[in-house]
Amino acid sequence: MSLPESERNVYVAPPEPPPSRRPPVTTVGVLGWMRHNLFSSWPNTLATLVTAAFLVWFVQAFVRWSVENAQWGVITNNLRLITSGLYPRAEIWRMEVTAALLVFLTGLGLGIWARVARSVFVIVLVVLGAIVFVPLIGARIPEPTIYVLIEPQRTPSSFVFLGYRGEELRVELDPLTDLEDVNTRQIGYVESQSRATWSTQARAAATGQLDLADHNLELSVRLLDRSGSPVAVRGAPVQARSTPDALGGSFTVELPRDGWYVLHVERNDEDRDNNTGYAWLRIDGVELFSSLEAAAIARQAEYGPPPDVERPLFAEDRAYRFEGTRTFGEFVSLQLAPFLSRIARESFIGAALFANGWVIGTLGKHEKRVRRAAILGWALAGPVILVILYGVQGSRTLPIVTTSAWGGLLLTILLTLVGITASFPLGVALALGRRSELPVIKWTCTLFIEVIRGVPLITILFMAKLIVPFFWSALSSLDLTVRMMIGLTLFSAAYLAENVRGGLQIVPHGQLEAARALGMNPFLTTSLIVLPQALRAVIPAIVGQFISLFKDTSLVAVVGLFELVGIVDTIVSGQPIYRPYQREAYIFIAIIYFVISYAMSDVSRRLETSGAGSVRG
Amino acid sequence: MANNNNREPIIICRGVNKWFGNFHVLKDINLEVMPQEVVVIIGPSGSGKSTFIRCINRLEEHQEGQIIVDGIELSHDVRNIAAIRSEIGMVFQQFNLFPHLTVLQNITLAPRYVRRQPRRIADEVALQLLARVGIPEQARKYPAQLSGGQQQRVAIARALAMQPKIMLFDEPTSALDPEMIKEVLDVMKELAQSGMTMLVVTHEMGFAREVADRIVFFDEGRIVEMGPPEHFFNNPQHERTKLFLSQIL
C-alpha cells in the first residue's frame, strides 16, 4: 500500500470489521480439550498414562473381585438390620413412614429451591430399570451346582428344596475312594460344614491315617415329594445308587410339578461296615434361596410350609459358600438379582414419592402457599418423626421404642439431621457472638469454639457418655442417644461458627454502612444484609461441615450405639457365618456413605448457582 | 433553589471536632445548611470532607461540638440516631448496593422493614423512583448485572425511597467510568431542582458551579473558604483555595 508521505503515521481501519472466523480444529472440542488438558507436555502425558494405567488396573481388580468372588449375600440377608438396626420387627412400618416422609419432603424441597439436573432423573430411571430387569434376567440364568458331603456322621439325611415343574434336576454321587479325589475342587455352592469336615478327612487321608480305598460305599439317593412318598417317573422311583462294584450313581429327572421336594440319602451298608465312607453329593438345577425365611416368605403362600428336615438347601441356614470363581451371569443371578428384588418395592415407593414431591415443588415454586407448606413440613418433620419412631407412652398403635433399639442407617440419618438442624443456628449464633462488641459474649464464644475445636470428637462423645453425667446427675437420666446428639451438635456448631465467621468477614464494611444509613437497626442489618451474603458465600464450607458431621456420626459406634458402622460391626462379628464377609459389608456401607455425601455436595453446588444473588458483584 | 433565609437551618454544626486516634481530622467545623440548599464540599483528598458528611448521619462519631439535624441533636442516644438516619439519605462512592437482592428489593428493603410499609405500596414507590432515575426496566435485575452508572442511580433511588429530607453524596461519581458520570450528575441535578437539601462531596467542578448554592472548601480538616459558586470560582480569597483551583481548573 502506498500512502502519501504525510499520512505514513496515520492508520485508519476499514469501515467494516473483518468477519469472525472459527478457531483451529485442534483447539476446540474433545480433541482440543484432550490436547490441552491431558497431553499438553511430556510430563503431563506421562502423568495421564500412568494414572490411567493405575485406574484401569484398580477398577478391573475390584470389579473382578466383586463379580467373581465377593459374597454380597451378607448385605441382602441383613438389609433390615443395616437400615433400621434392632428396631422391633413389628414396628418396622414406622421406619417406613419416616423414610417416606423424608423422601417426599426432600423431593419437595429440591423442586422448590434447587435445580435438579436431568442427569439425576436419568440415573434414577436407570436404577429403577435395573431393579425390574436384572431379577428377570437373573431368573433365567442357570443356578450353579450345590455340593454337600455325605459322611457317616450325618447319614441318613434329607435335603429340602423348592422345585418347579419341567425343571431338570440332576443328582450325582461322587464317592471318595482315592487320593485323587481328595484334591478335586468343587465349583459352586459348598456347604461350609461339609467343607470343614472334608478338610479334616482329606488331611487324614493325605497323611495316611485314613485309607479311603478301604471303604465300601453303598449309598442311595431318593427323590421324595413333600409328604415323603417317592417320586416316580413311568412307575420307577427316581433314585441313584452307589455300590462297591459300581461306584457313583446319578439320576436326571424332569420335575413333575411345582412344590417342595426332599432328597433323601441313606446308607445301605450299615450292617457290614464301620460307616466310614465319604461322597460328594452334587446337585444341579436347584435354586439356592438366600434363606429358608426368604424362601418361605416368597413361596409359602403358593406351596405351603416346607417339610421340616435337618438339611435344607438354603444359604443362610447352613451357610453355603460359593467356591471357585463366578461368571458374570452367576453374579447377576446369585448376588445382584436377589439384592435388587429385595429392595424393589421400597425403591419404587420411594421414587414415586420423591417424584411426586418434586413435581409439586417445581410447579408450585412461585406459589406462596406451596413454599409455606414445604417450610412448615420440614419444620414439623422433626417432632413428627421423633414421635413416630419413639412412640407415645401407653399408646397401642405407637408403643414406645427406646432409642437403644434404634440403629443402622436410620440412626445415622437421625443423628445427622438433628446435628444439622441444631448446630446450624448455634453455629451462626456463636459466629456472631465471636464478633460481638460486648467482650463477655465475645470471650465466651471464643473460648467455647476454641475448646471444642481443640478436642477430638471421640473425646467429646466419651465425655458426653461418661464424664458429664458424673458431674451433673440430671444428665445421667438422659438417653445415651440424646447425649450423643448433643455431643455431635456442639462439635459441629464450633466448626460451623468458624466457617460462618469466614463468611461474615468477607461482607464489605460498605454494606453495613449502607444498611445503617438506611436506618436499619443491628438486628435487621444482620439478618437481612450480612447473614444472607455471608452464608451464601460459605455454602460449600457449611455443606462440607454437614458432610463431615454425617460421616462423623460413625464415631458413636465406639461409645456403643449401633448406627451404620456399629450395626455392620455387630453383623460381621456377631453372626459367625458372616465373619468371612467383612470386606463386602464395609464396602457396602462405604458406598452408602459416599452416595449420601455426594448427593449433599451436589445439592450444595446447585444451591450456590441458583436462586437469588447467584450473580455476585 | 434556596432563598429561604427566613427559615431555620436544617443542619447545624457547631465547633465539631473529631480525631482518628491522635490524628485531628475535623477542626472546629461550623456550618449551617438551610432547607432546600445544595452545598458542595470540595477539597484535596484527606482533607476530612468525607469524614465530615459521614458525621452528619453518624456513620462516624464526632468527639466535640454539636451536630443538630432537623432539630435533633446527634448523641449517643440510639433513638436519636435512628430518627436522624431515617431523615437522611446517603449515596456512597462504591454504591454499596446489596448484591444478594434485586434492584427492586434493594429499594424496598428499608421502607418495608424500617418504615413497615406494605409491600405493594413499597413496590409502587420503588418503580416510580426507578422511572425518576431513568431505569424503570431494570427492576428485576441484580446489581452486578448493571453498569456502574445504573448502579449509582439505583443507590440514589434506594436512598430516596425512605423519603429523606436531606441527601448526602459521598463522591458519587468517583468510581464511575467517564462515560457514565453524566447520567448520575443529571439525576442529581434533577434532584436539586426538585428542592432537596443536598450535601455533595465531589470533584466535579462543572456540577459544583452549575448546581451548588454554596461551595465549601475543606483543607487539613477545617473549612478554608465558603461561598456561592461565582464568588468561589471567580474570586477566591484564601491562598490555599487559589492554589487548589489553579491545579484543577
Side-chain angles (χ1 to χ4, degrees):
Chain A
M1 212 166 14
S2 76
L3 286 164
E5 191 64 27
S6 61
E7 289 175 21
R8 275 281 155 80
N9 293 327
V10 176
Y11 169 77
V12 177
E16 291 298 315
S20 297
R21 290 184 298 128
R22 297 171 68 94
V25 182
T26 52
T27 61
V28 291
V30 179
L31 209 65
W33 184 88
M34 280 174 57
R35 226 174 80 126
H36 185 75
N37 292 291
L38 299 181
F39 304 105
S40 60
S41 63
W42 72 260
N44 186 3
T45 308
L46 190 68
T48 303
L49 293 179
V50 169
T51 313
F54 174 77
L55 270 181
V56 166
W57 170 79
F58 178 80
V59 169
Q60 192 222 15
F62 181 76
V63 169
R64 266 191 89 128
W65 172 78
S66 11
V67 169
E68 293 177 348
N69 302 102
Q71 294 290 326
W72 301 102
V74 57
I75 293 148
T76 313
N77 299 337
N78 289 300
L79 262 184
R80 193 179 61 83
L81 280 175
I82 292 173
T83 49
S84 46
L86 304 170
Y87 207 84
R89 224 166 252 244
E91 306 293 329
I92 283 293
W93 65 271
R94 285 152 69 170
M95 251 291 297
E96 291 167 346
V97 169
T98 301
L101 192 63
L102 285 178
V103 165
F104 177 78
L105 285 177
T106 306
L108 188 63
L110 288 181
I112 294 177
W113 289 292
R115 280 180 242 139
V116 179
R118 198 171 299 154
S119 61
V120 173
F121 288 99
V122 173
I123 292 170
V124 170
L125 284 181
V126 167
V127 170
L128 291 182
I131 290 174
V132 177
F133 290 109
V134 169
L136 289 181
I137 297 165
R140 313 193 127 264
I141 295 167
E143 301 287 333
T145 310
I146 300 169
Y147 288 94
V148 285
L149 188 66
I150 307 300
E151 79 243 53
Q153 296 82 1
R154 287 205 288 167
T155 38
S157 59
S158 300
F159 304 88
V160 66
F161 66 95
L162 193 59
Y164 301 99
R165 183 194 160 92
E167 247 175 32
E168 196 171 80
L169 169 74
R170 184 179 162 75
V171 173
E172 199 179 311
L173 273 169
D174 184 12
L176 302 165
T177 53
D178 57 40
L179 273 174
E180 289 281 295
D181 298 325
V182 170
N183 298 317
T184 315
R185 295 296 303 168
Q186 288 77 27
I187 295 180
Y189 280 111
V190 180
E191 194 192 25
S192 295
Q193 195 183 334
S194 297
R195 170 58 68 204
T197 313
W198 178 237
S199 304
T200 317
Q201 298 309 330
R203 227 174 294 128
T207 53
Q209 291 168 320
L210 176 72
D211 190 357
L212 290 167
D214 260 2
H215 304 294
N216 303 325
L217 272 167
E218 285 207 39
L219 289 171
S220 65
V221 184
R222 286 183 299 149
L223 182 65
L224 311 176
D225 64 15
R226 185 166 167 255
S227 56
S229 44
V231 175
V233 175
R234 276 176 244 102
V238 178
Q239 62 173 336
R241 291 180 70 94
S242 169
T243 59
D245 309 322
L247 282 171
S250 66
F251 65 79
T252 306
V253 65
E254 210 167 274
L255 296 176
R257 52 178 180 76
D258 297 350
W260 299 104
Y261 289 91
V262 175
L263 278 175
H264 186 70
V265 184
E266 260 180 345
R267 309 188 83 86
N268 308 62
D269 53 359
E270 277 164 16
D271 48 337
R272 298 191 268 119
D273 200 286
N274 301 329
N275 278 348
T276 50
Y278 292 87
W280 282 110
L281 179 64
R282 179 191 156 129
I283 308 163
D284 283 298
V286 169
E287 184 179 6
L288 191 70
F289 282 99
S290 60
S291 70
L292 187 56
E293 189 202 0
I297 289 169
R299 319 286 173 183
Q300 191 156 340
E302 284 170 81
Y303 309 120
D308 188 23
V309 300
E310 67 271 32
R311 291 170 90 174
L313 293 176
F314 295 106
E316 190 176 293
D317 304 83
R318 293 286 164 173
Y320 285 80
R321 189 176 169 180
F322 196 90
E323 293 190 1
T325 52
R326 275 190 304 259
T327 63
F328 184 74
E330 282 167 343
F331 167 71
V332 170
S333 85
L334 299 175
Q335 306 276 317
L336 207 50
F339 175 74
L340 292 179
S341 54
R342 182 80 198 263
I343 62 169
R345 187 177 131 255
E346 287 80 1
S347 306
F348 276 96
I349 295 173
L353 281 168
F354 182 89
N356 210 330
W358 187 83
V359 167
I360 294 174
T362 308
L363 296 180
K365 198 179 278 191
H366 303 296
E367 295 270 346
K368 199 168 242 178
R369 263 186 306 171
V370 175
R371 300 168 72 120
R372 285 224 178 111
I375 292 171
L376 194 70
W378 272 110
L380 289 180
V384 167
I385 286 172
L386 289 183
V387 167
I388 292 177
L389 290 180
Y390 188 75
V392 181
Q393 192 75 50
S395 159
R396 206 170 279 185
T397 40
L398 290 175
I400 297 277
V401 177
T402 51
T403 50
S404 54
W406 300 11
L409 187 59
L410 159 79
L411 184 57
T412 296
I413 287 177
L414 269 181
L415 288 171
T416 311
L417 286 182
V418 169
I420 287 175
T421 41
S423 71
F424 181 67
L426 187 58
V428 170
L430 282 170
L432 292 172
R434 193 169 183 174
R435 280 166 58 99
S436 164
E437 284 163 10
L438 308 174
V440 177
I441 292 178
K442 183 176 173 160
W443 293 335
T444 313
C445 291
T446 310
L447 184 71
F448 176 86
I449 293 169
E450 293 306 330
V451 166
I452 296 273
R453 272 162 41 98
V455 177
L457 174 58
I458 193 76
T459 317
I460 293 175
L461 295 182
F462 270 118
M463 275 170 56
K465 182 186 182 181
L466 303 169
I467 300 174
V468 174
F470 184 70
F471 288 114
W472 196 359
S473 57
L475 279 180
S476 59
S477 62
L478 211 56
D479 193 281
L480 181 62
T481 312
V482 177
R483 273 185 268 153
M484 290 305 108
M485 285 174 177
I486 294 173
L488 284 167
T489 301
L490 295 183
F491 183 80
S492 176
Y495 278 88
L496 266 182
E498 288 300 278
N499 291 334
V500 173
R501 193 165 70 105
L504 292 175
Q505 275 164 350
I506 66 149
V507 176
H509 196 62
Q511 293 286 312
L512 291 176
E513 289 187 345
R516 268 155 49 190
L518 286 167
M520 295 170 74
N521 61 32
F523 174 76
L524 285 179
T525 309
T526 305
S527 57
L528 294 176
I529 306 299
V530 177
L531 278 182
Q533 294 186 55
L535 293 180
R536 181 174 284 279
V538 291
I539 284 176
I542 290 177
V543 175
Q545 180 54 41
F546 288 160
I547 292 173
S548 288
L549 173 67
F550 169 60
K551 292 180 296 180
D552 285 346
T553 56
S554 56
L555 284 175
V556 304
V558 181
V559 288
L561 293 188
F562 298 112
E563 48 63 75
L564 210 42
V565 171
I567 202 79
V568 164
D569 193 47
T570 316
I571 291 169
V572 294
S573 60
Q575 305 185 38
I577 57 164
Y578 295 122
R579 213 164 280 163
Y581 311 126
Q582 302 201 7
R583 271 177 302 184
E584 288 85 344
Y586 284 115
I587 286 172
F588 180 69
I589 58 166
I591 292 171
I592 294 184
Y593 277 114
F594 172 76
V595 167
I596 296 180
S597 302
Y598 187 82
M600 282 164 82
S601 75
D602 193 57
V603 167
S604 100
R605 246 173 286 144
R606 283 174 210 297
L607 274 180
E608 262 175 85
T609 55
S610 75
S614 53
V615 190
R616 295 193 57 84
Chain B
M1 293 189 217
N3 290 313
N4 305 293
N5 295 335
N6 53 338
R7 286 217 231 156
E8 288 290 301
I10 193 166
I11 301 174
I12 301 167
C13 300
R14 282 192 203 120
V16 173
N17 277 285
K18 175 169 177 60
W19 289 263
F20 283 137
N22 287 325
F23 179 61
H24 199 170
V25 225
L26 295 180
K27 299 169 185 162
D28 278 326
I29 306 293
N30 288 295
L31 181 71
E32 293 189 352
V33 180
M34 301 306 285
Q36 306 200 342
E37 194 181 9
V38 176
V39 175
V40 171
I41 302 172
I42 60 177
S45 353
S47 59
K49 51 192 193 309
S50 281
T51 308
F52 172 63
I53 70 163
R54 288 157 62 84
C55 279
I56 290 172
N57 71 349
R58 198 70 169 181
L59 286 182
E60 302 285 356
E61 260 176 58
H62 60 284
Q63 279 113 7
E64 271 181 26
Q66 266 187 319
I67 299 178
I68 300 165
V69 178
D70 202 22
I72 305 168
E73 177 168 5
L74 280 177
S75 64
H76 286 285
D77 192 329
V78 180
R79 281 165 302 173
N80 281 0
I81 296 170
I84 284 166
R85 279 186 184 150
S86 59
E87 307 261 295
I88 303 178
M90 180 148 188
V91 175
F92 300 86
Q93 182 179 350
Q94 297 298 340
F95 327 140
N96 291 347
L97 293 179
F98 305 129
H100 61 299
L101 300 176
T102 62
V103 165
L104 194 66
Q105 288 167 334
N106 261 281
I107 298 172
T108 56
L109 190 72
R112 284 180 59 198
Y113 288 93
V114 179
R115 289 245 195 274
R116 303 209 161 272
Q117 280 180 10
R119 181 179 180 161
R120 196 175 45 79
I121 293 174
D123 281 358
E124 228 168 76
V125 172
L127 290 172
Q128 282 166 14
L129 285 170
L130 280 175
R132 185 168 168 194
V133 300
I135 40 173
E137 71 286 352
Q138 312 285 10
R140 305 277 164 205
K141 289 194 182 165
Y142 285 95
Q145 293 167 296
L146 305 183
S147 73
Q150 289 172 329
Q151 289 192 44
Q152 193 61 297
R153 286 188 277 163
V154 172
I156 294 171
R158 178 175 71 176
L160 291 175
M162 289 294 278
Q163 287 148 351
K165 293 184 180 160
I166 302 162
M167 286 283 285
L168 306 177
F169 291 84
D170 188 2
E171 304 201 24
T173 56
S174 299
L176 294 177
D177 291 343
E179 282 182 282
M180 294 165 182
I181 289 175
K182 186 172 174 297
E183 62 189 48
V184 173
L185 291 182
D186 286 345
V187 170
M188 289 167 66
K189 277 180 208 165
E190 186 271 331
L191 199 56
Q193 279 152 17
S194 75
M196 176 65 75
T197 310
M198 291 164 63
L199 254 72
V200 184
V201 172
T202 187
H203 297 296
E204 295 296 325
M205 294 305 149
F207 174 81
R209 196 191 283 265
E210 187 182 340
V211 181
D213 296 313
R214 196 151 40 120
I215 292 190
V216 177
F217 179 64
F218 261 68
D219 186 45
E220 294 184 334
R222 66 190 177 123
I223 295 175
V224 172
E225 191 161 352
M226 175 154 68
E230 12 347 318
H231 156 83
F232 185 83
F233 286 107
N234 304 333
N235 189 19
Q237 300 297 306
H238 198 282
E239 284 307 314
R240 184 67 188 91
T241 318
K242 289 178 190 165
L243 181 67
F244 180 77
L245 289 173
S246 73
Q247 277 166 346
I248 60 164
L249 291 179

